[in-house]
Amino acid sequence: MNLSERLDNPIFRTIQSCASKLNLETYVIGGFVRDLLLNRPSKDIDFVCVGSGIELAKAVSKALNLKKEPVIFKNYGTAMISFKDQEFEFVGARKESYSRESRNPTVENGTLEDDQNRRDFTINALAIGLNNHNYGELIDPFNGVEDLRDHMIRTPLEPGVTFSDDPLRMMRAIRFASQLQFDIDGNTFGGIMDHVDRIEIVSQERITDELNKIILSLLPSYGFKLLFQSGLLKKVFPEMVDLHGVEVIRKKAHKDNFYHTLKVLDNVAEVSNDLWLRWAAILHDIAKPATKRFNDRVGWTFHGHEDKGARMVPHIFRRLKLPLNEHMKFVQKLVRLHLRPIALVKEEVTDSAVRRLLYETGEDVEELMKLCKADITSKDHNRVQKYLNNFARVEEKMIEVEKKDKVRNFQPIVTGELIMETFGVPPSRVVGDIKNEVREAILEGTIKNSEKEAIPFMIGIGERLGLVRIKDIV
Ligand code: ATP
Ligand code: MG
């Protein structure tokens, strides 16, 4: 197969000319070639040459008139060029040998064939010649093209060797299957099942990178089912495996929370590409196993799973090396509040209940509603429609109340400063108590968040508590 006509990026001709001058056999290899044949966009391009990749990168950088030198990683023998919004990586062809303790191999110079042998999957081992004698020629030693056609992930060598050498490849296999919606060849999948324990030598950051890519794929449940079936999920995210299974007591069964969670995740993925909303879906019921009870009259209950779940979020984030920042707080908030809109549906919807929810969700109310709608996984179409209509009613009410009371970005008129100045008290517990009482009254609808109503109300509370007003506020 000759693909020269499809190499429309001018970089390929530039590299051909540099490689020819330096007399270096050069190929474009890996993900770019795979994505070219799949008609998928890909930003980064990897080049391999038989010889020094660093030397080639320097020549290419010069030919492109770049002011910045290539970024060189001496330990890996690689060099990177950023050009417009693309990244080009250059490496000399290499042969690798692994020890048992580490996924970092000993490396020696090798041929193109050696280099293709060390690649993780047949579809990632494809190369295209960029030399005068083979420009555009596809070099496919492991029938990667056939696997692309069959939608199949397969290792080029014996799967046991591939996965034991670098166990991260197990996560990558499932990640590519999930991103590309491919199958994993039976023999290859067996290799993963045999080596799940080896994942222990891989750093958490790398595992989590792959997990996040699975989560961001079109149908993330597929990747999670593969993780589950292979045994990897138990190793990397046991809390999620704990959701699996159905218990029956006196003919009463609860739903399988693992498959329910995956359905919620897919539902959220249909309406949002946000990684953190997807994490909120994954974690929304995470404390169900820990809060599960059976009661003779009502059957199964999971009381408090939303609060306990929210408390579990930081532990899970820390262990998975996910960021402990506002993203975590967002996930935590959604887990904590995920039952509240449903509760609103059931009660008579009062303004004050809506105000409280708007106050607690703040800017994230739309995201919370996406999660709540995704959480309806009943197979009964009429029931789903009924719930969605109820949510629509709640949303209308939210818009109405927000328009009137503006609680989403609640800025209290009565601040701690104002309380301290008015009564001449230092920062103390009583200041917080007064502030809370005023806020409660506003959310309850007893008073408005205006100077006219909130300040006299504050003064009233202070006096009731025996404080003396030392300053008049207009
Ligand atoms: P994407 O960039 O979309 O994630 P990719 O295939 O380009 O996909 P990279 O991680 O960028 O993946 O790696 C580039 C290439 O390097 C791969 O196509 C593969 O040939 C090789 N590769 C990367 N990681 C490994 C690994 N752990 N074991 C073997 N080969 C690997
Ligand atoms: Mg890549």
Side-chain angles (χ1 to χ4, degrees):
M1 197 184 313
N2 192 293
L3 296 161
S4 55
E5 295 204 339
R6 307 229 17 223
L7 298 178
D8 44 16
N9 190 327
I11 189 70
F12 295 115
R13 289 294 180 187
T14 310
I15 289 180
Q16 176 185 18
S17 126
C18 295
S20 155
K21 275 184 212 142
L22 293 169
N23 201 16
L24 283 172
E25 280 282 313
T26 302
Y27 300 84
V28 52
I29 193 161
F32 174 85
V33 182
R34 177 197 71 222
D35 290 340
L36 182 76
L37 293 171
L38 288 173
N39 290 315
R40 285 175 96 229
S42 74
K43 238 169 60 184
D44 308 337
I45 312 183
D46 297 309
F47 300 96
V48 60
C49 66
V50 184
S52 164
I54 295 173
E55 203 185 324
L56 178 61
K58 284 184 176 161
V60 172
S61 174
K62 216 175 237 162
L64 293 172
N65 280 321
L66 299 183
K67 288 190 191 69
K68 258 179 49 196
E69 285 284 302
V71 181
I72 292 169
F73 304 93
K74 241 199 168 125
N75 289 351
Y76 297 99
T78 64
M80 215 178 58
I81 295 179
S82 301
F83 182 62
K84 297 181 181 164
D85 61 344
Q86 312 164 88
E87 281 184 352
F88 305 133
E89 189 165 306
F90 298 82
V91 63
R94 58 204 226 184
K95 192 174 170 165
E96 296 181 338
S97 39
Y98 287 82
S99 70
R100 237 194 111 68
E101 298 72 37
S102 160
R103 52 177 294 263
N104 301 318
T106 325
V107 176
E108 52 190 306
N109 294 338
T111 62
L112 174 70
E113 196 187 336
D114 292 328
D115 199 279
Q116 285 175 304
N117 280 333
R118 73 171 180 90
R119 304 263 159 185
D120 48 5
F121 307 110
T122 60
I123 61 168
N124 284 349
L126 298 160
I128 303 175
L130 295 179
N131 311 290
N132 297 336
H133 69 90
N134 65 1
Y135 189 86
E137 198 179 295
L138 183 73
I139 296 149
D140 177 13
F142 309 110
N143 291 326
V145 169
E146 206 176 297
D147 284 337
L148 280 180
R149 204 177 44 225
D150 298 344
H151 293 187
M152 196 60 80
I153 306 291
R154 187 197 315 271
T155 56
L157 309 176
E158 211 312 272
V161 176
T162 301
F163 293 129
S164 178
D165 277 354
D166 176 2
L168 179 67
R169 293 169 182 161
M170 301 189 285
M171 292 295 296
R172 284 172 61 88
I174 292 173
R175 183 261 283 196
F176 284 117
S178 195
Q179 280 182 327
L180 304 173
Q181 304 198 286
F182 277 24
D183 280 336
I184 299 180
D185 158 73
N187 197 21
T188 297
F189 198 72
I192 299 178
M193 293 176 82
D194 290 344
H195 291 88
V196 285
D197 287 341
R198 294 277 293 154
I199 198 71
E200 283 162 14
I201 68 162
V202 181
S203 78
Q204 186 60 53
E205 287 84 348
R206 299 302 301 270
I207 294 173
T208 298
D209 272 353
E210 298 300 329
L211 193 61
N212 281 340
K213 286 180 181 170
I214 292 169
I215 293 169
L216 284 172
S217 56
L218 202 62
L219 192 70
S221 64
Y222 175 54
F224 274 102
K225 285 175 190 167
L226 292 173
L227 286 173
F228 177 67
Q229 285 157 11
S230 64
L232 273 174
L233 195 61
K234 181 95 197 152
K235 297 293 285 185
V236 304
F237 192 5
E239 292 90 341
M240 202 169 167
V241 176
D242 292 342
L243 292 170
H244 182 260
V246 175
E247 206 175 323
V248 186
I249 294 185
R250 290 198 257 297
K251 294 196 181 140
K252 284 188 187 168
H254 60 75
K255 68 181 163 207
D256 184 306
N257 288 305
F258 179 69
Y259 293 108
H260 165 70
T261 294
L262 291 185
K263 183 72 186 127
V264 178
L265 175 59
D266 283 346
N267 287 348
V268 154
E270 265 185 41
V271 295
S272 166
N273 289 323
D274 182 65
L275 177 63
W276 307 109
L277 182 60
R278 293 183 181 202
W279 265 110
I282 293 169
L283 295 173
H284 80 287
D285 278 347
I286 201 71
K288 275 199 168 172
T291 55
K292 183 164 96 169
R293 298 276 179 283
F294 184 82
N295 175 302
D296 272 335
R297 271 173 298 120
V298 292
W300 294 102
T301 64
F302 304 90
H303 286 309
H305 75 273
E306 67 282 22
D307 286 321
K308 187 166 176 69
R311 286 198 299 276
M312 286 167 74
V313 169
H315 298 283
I316 293 173
F317 265 54
R318 184 165 301 123
R319 205 190 62 240
L320 295 181
K321 296 245 160 52
L322 286 163
L324 305 172
N325 57 11
E326 71 277 10
H327 296 310
M328 184 197 82
K329 295 227 172 81
F330 166 82
V331 172
Q332 206 174 14
K333 185 200 264 186
L334 262 63
V335 172
R336 186 165 53 81
L337 297 175
H338 81 269
L339 295 177
R340 293 281 291 279
I342 304 165
L344 282 187
V345 164
K346 283 178 190 155
E347 306 162 2
E348 184 60 22
V349 193
T350 62
D351 278 17
S352 70
V354 172
R355 258 196 306 273
R356 278 177 194 284
L357 184 59
L358 282 172
Y359 170 74
E360 284 184 63
T361 41
E363 283 306 305
D364 300 318
V365 62
E366 278 91 6
E367 301 303 286
L368 178 67
M369 291 312 289
K370 283 183 199 161
L371 175 62
C372 291
K373 287 178 198 164
D375 199 7
I376 308 169
T377 59
S378 164
K379 289 199 180 71
D380 178 344
H381 180 74
N382 289 332
R383 215 149 140 185
V384 172
Q385 206 45 52
K386 195 180 98 195
Y387 285 140
L388 287 177
N389 290 344
N390 287 343
F391 277 142
R393 247 188 31 237
V394 170
E395 279 177 317
E396 266 171 39
K397 189 90 190 167
M398 281 175 165
I399 293 169
E400 185 191 311
V401 169
E402 175 58 24
K403 217 163 134 193
K404 202 159 50 112
D405 299 337
K406 310 230 169 351
V407 266
R408 238 176 108 154
N409 268 313
F410 182 76
Q411 298 295 340
I413 301 272
V414 173
T415 59
E417 315 268 278
L418 185 75
I419 298 168
M420 292 189 279
E421 275 178 38
T422 309
F423 298 108
V425 288
S428 53
R429 170 94 181 262
V430 72
V431 178
D433 289 347
I434 298 178
K435 221 171 86 178
N436 287 343
E437 202 174 324
V438 175
R439 193 193 59 219
E440 283 300 300
I442 292 166
L443 292 177
E444 205 41 54
T446 322
I447 57 166
K448 287 233 161 301
N449 187 28
S450 67
E451 290 196 359
K452 204 167 128 237
E453 297 192 17
I455 292 175
F457 191 78
M458 165 197 78
I459 292 168
I461 302 169
E463 287 174 348
R464 192 190 76 221
L465 294 173
L467 299 181
V468 179
R469 187 154 35 125
I470 61 155
K471 191 172 166 191
D472 273 330
I473 311 281
V474 204

